[in-house]
Amino acid sequence: MIDVLLGLQWGDEGKGKIVDFLAEGYDIIARFQGGPNAGHTLYVNGKKVVLRTIPSGVFHKHCLNLIGNGVVIDPVSLMQEIEQLIPMQPDVLSRLFIAHRAHLILPTHRALDAASEAAKGEEKIGSTLKGIGPAYMDKTGRNGLRFGDILSKDFRKKYDKLAQKHIQMLRQYDHKIEWEQWEEPFFEACEYLSKLQTVNSEYWLDKQLKQGKRVLAEGAQGSMLDIDYGTYPFVTSSNTIAAGVCNGLGVAPSRIGEVYGITKAYCTRVGGGPFPTELDDETGEELRRVGNEFGAVTGRSRRCGWLDLVALKYTVMLSGVTKLIITKADVLDNFKEIKVAVAYNADGIETNELPYDICDVSIEPVYKKFDGWDKPISSCSSFNDTPEVFRNYCDYIEKYLETKIGYISNGTGRDQLMAIF
Ligand code: GDP
Ligand code: IMO
Ligand code: MG
């Protein structure tokens, strides 16, 4: 069976930390979508590491790491990531496998991302500008280059053909991007990556699963950024929900086992788009300060707000989450009052369902209030040790979402995690 771990909000739920913890119990960690727009933070022996394309099992010697076909790869970014890891994990390359079918992000994809965002002005998505959208557009438009193409003797020819198409497209934009300087490092990185272990990941995984290997699929971004079910058009360009695992790794739905869904004890979003429980006040500022809510990749300040159970119930449903993981519970330690949204007032009508369009509809959250806890969660070593108010808060979340909580994270460290079984 293949278990799944994915974010239930707008990303940055703490996936990196939790995968790093859970990796102890798995043989293979596999990324199934996204690309270097992800920033997954891990603390290894007190040292902070941010992973972008490499799965978060890389610090466990027994774990193989697969970059699946649903991922889009920026060769320069991946090469830099590997080079950064080698001093810490000299055997990283022997445990890293890349799907032939994963698509490549070209320098001109990054240029197109930047030009398109600049042209959108006020309505920009707030893309990470890593070329994600244009690379996935070429994939579905049947123009893209795949990782396996790096090994082809016609690679340069294929590249030139696609880059020419992009150059034509870039002419439509007023905004000029000096992308030519990115071409040489791109080819150098492709040369470097051509020596890595590439696999037909669908067959490779099938064999591993038949041998009884335990596999964990690691999601990037979050369910509310899903291309189909997120807050479109303020989304990323891949399927971030559990369904994306089947496409992104080539495994059948019947092989999916446990689905871990991660949520912060509050909510954040980086970039543009609707955010019903956003707090534009001192409380929001306090969440950002205590939670250190600044992007792992871009350093951008994250928008903060209360936990949104309406959106969570929706994303738990979409992925069939079997176990919840709540992170950053410690961040709420000093709040006198804690709120959670239990319904929306959407243009005057109360609902528990996420409306089709939350961009143009006025949404007023209906809140349930909880007293703050009288003992810091950060100092607790087990769930039984946590204050009663906190346990009641967890109980309410479980009942509302009709899903059990498996773990509560109360700090950045690998072991700052309380299991509830
Ligand atoms: P990811 O993209 O889902 O892997 O999450 P990020 O790494 O982008 O952001 C999560 C941030 O929260 C990182 O800086 C983590 O070190 C930090 N973090 C994770 N879990 C906890 C927790 O339980 N408490 C606190 N205070 N920080 C946490
Ligand atoms: P992890 O894996 C948070 C957001 C961007 C932007 C939108 C589209 O670290 O949770 P894109 O570059 O994909 O075209 O940007 O999605 N976004 C993320 N927000 N965490 C992420 O990844 C994100 N990846 C993309 O900010 O709003
Ligand atoms: Mg992140």
Side-chain angles (χ1 to χ4, degrees):
M1 292 301 256
I2 166 160
D3 293 344
V4 179
L5 179 136
L6 47 80
L8 295 173
Q9 299 171 307
W10 280 284
D12 303 328
E13 297 90 347
K15 298 176 289 294
K17 164 183 161 155
I18 303 297
V19 171
D20 177 45
F21 173 82
L22 292 178
E24 194 57 46
Y26 290 92
D27 303 300
I28 298 168
I29 309 293
R31 273 279 303 271
F32 59 94
Q33 46 69 234
N37 49 348
H40 295 180
T41 314
L42 282 65
Y43 281 87
V44 185
N45 301 327
K47 187 173 167 15
K48 180 177 166 178
V49 181
V50 178
L51 297 173
R52 307 197 17 204
T53 308
I54 294 181
S56 304
V58 71
F59 288 99
H60 293 263
K61 291 236 170 287
H62 70 281
C63 265
L64 302 183
N65 295 278
L66 172 69
I67 299 175
N69 59 277
V71 175
V72 284
I73 297 175
D74 180 326
V76 176
S77 165
L78 179 56
M79 183 181 80
Q80 286 169 349
E81 206 175 324
I82 294 169
E83 290 286 298
Q84 171 209 332
L85 287 175
I86 286 176
M88 286 179 270
Q89 288 294 303
D91 64 342
V92 56
L93 284 179
S94 65
R95 294 189 285 110
L96 184 65
F97 297 82
I98 304 175
H100 284 124
R101 293 175 190 276
H103 275 246
L104 292 179
I105 301 175
L106 271 51
T108 40
H109 282 137
R110 284 171 57 202
L112 282 166
D113 205 0
S116 154
E117 279 285 84
K120 283 191 168 135
E122 294 274 284
E123 284 159 20
K124 69 174 186 192
I125 311 287
S127 153
T128 56
L129 304 181
K130 305 292 178 202
I132 304 293
Y136 277 116
M137 276 164 69
D138 270 336
K139 174 177 178 175
T140 52
R142 297 162 294 182
N143 295 313
L145 291 185
R146 297 182 293 174
F147 196 81
D149 285 319
I150 291 182
L151 308 172
S152 146
K153 62 176 177 10
D154 293 331
F155 180 52
R156 183 71 206 215
K157 217 154 99 195
K158 291 182 184 181
Y159 169 91
D160 284 338
K161 194 167 160 209
L162 185 53
Q164 277 310 316
K165 196 173 263 179
H166 294 158
I167 291 166
Q168 294 291 340
M169 291 162 78
L170 284 164
R171 292 205 177 109
Q172 298 164 26
Y173 294 103
D174 296 332
H175 198 77
K176 295 283 164 262
I177 318 276
E178 314 242 317
W179 61 270
E180 292 85 348
Q181 56 184 319
W182 301 334
E183 222 172 30
E184 202 182 316
F186 172 84
F187 283 108
E188 279 168 15
C190 286
E191 174 65 25
Y192 177 97
L193 297 180
S194 68
K195 304 191 174 68
L196 305 195
Q197 307 179 80
T198 49
V199 288
N200 287 335
S201 57
E202 59 281 25
Y203 282 115
W204 187 80
L205 270 179
D206 182 60
K207 283 179 195 139
Q208 301 280 358
L209 287 165
K210 280 182 177 147
Q211 285 168 18
K213 294 284 161 54
R214 297 152 305 168
V215 182
L216 178 67
E218 173 180 2
Q221 289 78 57
S223 310
M224 293 297 282
L225 288 169
D226 182 271
I227 181 72
D228 282 283
Y229 299 101
T231 45
Y232 195 86
F234 298 94
V235 292
T236 189
S237 300
S238 62
N239 281 116
T240 57
I241 61 172
V245 174
C246 299
N247 295 331
L249 292 175
V251 293
S254 54
R255 277 182 146 161
I256 305 284
E258 198 89 74
V259 180
Y260 294 102
I262 303 199
T263 169
K264 288 181 190 178
Y266 51 97
C267 203
T268 64
R269 168 162 211 171
V270 57
F275 181 178
T277 59
E278 181 169 15
L279 295 165
D280 280 322
D281 56 10
E282 278 174 19
T283 311
E285 194 49 55
E286 188 65 359
L287 282 171
R288 185 172 309 114
R289 190 185 64 75
V290 183
N292 191 23
E293 294 297 354
F294 298 92
V297 172
T298 56
R300 286 182 296 174
S301 149
R302 294 178 184 146
R303 299 154 65 192
C304 296
W306 293 121
L307 189 67
D308 182 343
L309 290 181
V310 179
L312 263 187
K313 187 138 189 179
Y314 178 66
T315 56
V316 163
M317 170 187 80
L318 288 172
S319 287
V321 171
T322 56
K323 284 254 160 58
L324 287 167
I325 298 176
I326 300 188
T327 57
K328 306 193 96 161
D330 54 300
V331 173
L332 299 181
D333 274 351
N334 293 319
F335 286 80
K336 300 251 165 331
E337 185 180 64
I338 289 154
K339 294 186 191 173
V340 296
V342 293
Y344 289 163
N345 197 323
D347 275 346
I349 299 165
E350 193 164 310
T351 177
N352 295 314
E353 291 188 4
L354 199 87
Y356 151 70
D357 187 358
I358 64 168
C359 294
D360 293 329
V361 174
S362 118
I363 304 271
E364 204 46 58
V366 178
Y367 286 111
K368 177 173 171 58
K369 294 178 188 167
F370 290 85
D371 287 336
W373 20 97
D374 38 13
K375 173 182 170 188
I377 303 299
S378 51
S379 69
C380 299
S381 53
S382 74
F383 187 63
N384 288 338
D385 190 29
T386 60
E388 198 182 341
V389 264
F390 178 71
R391 290 199 303 265
N392 290 341
Y393 164 87
C394 292
D395 190 50
Y396 184 86
I397 293 174
E398 282 188 334
K399 290 212 169 87
Y400 189 104
L401 299 177
E402 299 174 287
T403 312
K404 288 280 175 204
I405 300 171
Y407 293 97
I408 292 177
S409 168
N410 60 344
T412 54
R414 193 184 261 176
D415 300 325
Q416 285 175 292
L417 202 62
M418 300 180 276
I420 315 178
F421 287 112

Coordinates of all heavy atoms in Angstrom, one line a residue, residues 11-15 37-41 50-51 221 295-297 302, ligand 3:
G11 N -1.1 25.5 1.7 CA 0.3 25.2 1.7 C 1.0 25.6 3.0 O 0.4 26.2 3.9
D12 N 2.3 25.2 3.1 CA 3.1 25.6 4.3 C 2.5 25.1 5.6 O 2.7 25.7 6.7 CB 3.3 27.1 4.4 CG 3.9 27.6 3.1 OD1 4.7 26.9 2.5 OD2 3.6 28.8 2.7
E13 N 1.8 24.0 5.6 CA 1.2 23.4 6.8 C 2.3 22.7 7.7 O 1.9 22.3 8.8 CB 0.1 22.4 6.4 CG -1.1 23.0 5.7 CD -0.9 22.9 4.2 OE1 0.3 22.7 3.7 OE2 -1.8 23.2 3.4
G14 N 3.5 22.5 7.2 CA 4.5 21.8 8.0 C 4.7 20.4 7.4 O 5.2 19.5 8.1
K15 N 4.5 20.2 6.1 CA 4.6 18.9 5.5 C 6.0 18.3 5.6 O 6.2 17.2 5.9 CB 4.2 19.0 4.0 CG 2.7 19.4 3.8 CD 2.4 19.6 2.3 CE 3.1 20.8 1.7 NZ 2.6 22.1 2.2
N37 N 8.3 25.4 -6.6 CA 7.5 26.4 -5.9 C 7.3 26.0 -4.4 O 7.0 26.8 -3.6 CB 6.1 26.5 -6.5 CG 5.4 25.2 -6.9 OD1 6.0 24.2 -6.8 ND2 4.1 25.3 -7.2
A38 N 7.5 24.7 -4.1 CA 7.4 24.2 -2.8 C 8.7 24.6 -2.0 O 9.8 24.7 -2.5 CB 7.3 22.6 -2.8
G39 N 8.5 24.7 -0.7 CA 9.6 25.0 0.3 C 9.2 24.2 1.5 O 8.3 24.6 2.3
H40 N 9.9 23.1 1.7 CA 9.5 22.2 2.9 C 10.7 22.3 3.9 O 11.8 21.9 3.6 CB 9.3 20.8 2.4 CG 8.1 20.6 1.5 ND1 7.7 19.4 1.0 CD2 7.2 21.5 1.1 CE1 6.6 19.6 0.3 NE2 6.3 20.9 0.3
T41 N 10.4 22.8 5.1 CA 11.4 23.1 6.1 C 11.6 21.9 7.0 O 10.6 21.4 7.5 CB 11.0 24.3 6.9 OG1 10.6 25.3 6.0 CG2 12.2 24.8 7.7
V50 N 15.8 23.7 3.8 CA 14.6 23.9 3.0 C 14.7 23.0 1.7 O 15.6 23.3 0.9 CB 14.3 25.4 2.7 CG1 13.0 25.5 1.9 CG2 14.2 26.2 4.0
L51 N 13.7 22.1 1.6 CA 13.7 21.2 0.4 C 12.7 21.7 -0.6 O 11.6 22.2 -0.2 CB 13.4 19.8 0.8 CG 14.5 19.1 1.7 CD1 14.0 17.8 2.1 CD2 15.8 19.0 0.9
Q221 N 2.4 22.1 -1.9 CA 1.3 23.1 -1.8 C 0.2 22.5 -0.9 O 0.5 21.8 0.0 CB 0.7 23.3 -3.2 CG 1.7 24.1 -4.1 CD 2.8 23.3 -4.8 OE1 2.5 22.3 -5.4 NE2 4.0 23.7 -4.5
G295 N 7.6 33.2 4.0 CA 7.7 32.1 3.0 C 9.1 31.4 3.1 O 10.1 32.1 3.1
A296 N 9.2 30.1 3.0 CA 10.4 29.4 3.1 C 11.2 29.6 1.8 O 12.5 29.5 1.8 CB 10.1 27.9 3.3
V297 N 10.6 29.8 0.6 CA 11.3 30.0 -0.6 C 11.4 31.5 -1.0 O 12.5 31.9 -1.3 CB 10.5 29.3 -1.8 CG1 11.1 29.6 -3.1 CG2 10.5 27.8 -1.6
R302 N 3.5 35.9 5.1 CA 2.2 35.1 4.8 C 1.0 35.8 5.5 O 1.2 36.3 6.6 CB 2.4 33.7 5.4 CG 3.4 32.8 4.7 CD 3.6 31.4 5.4 NE 4.7 30.7 4.8 CZ 5.4 29.8 5.5 NH1 5.2 29.6 6.8 NH2 6.4 29.1 4.9
Ligands
MG3 MG 6.3 25.6 2.3

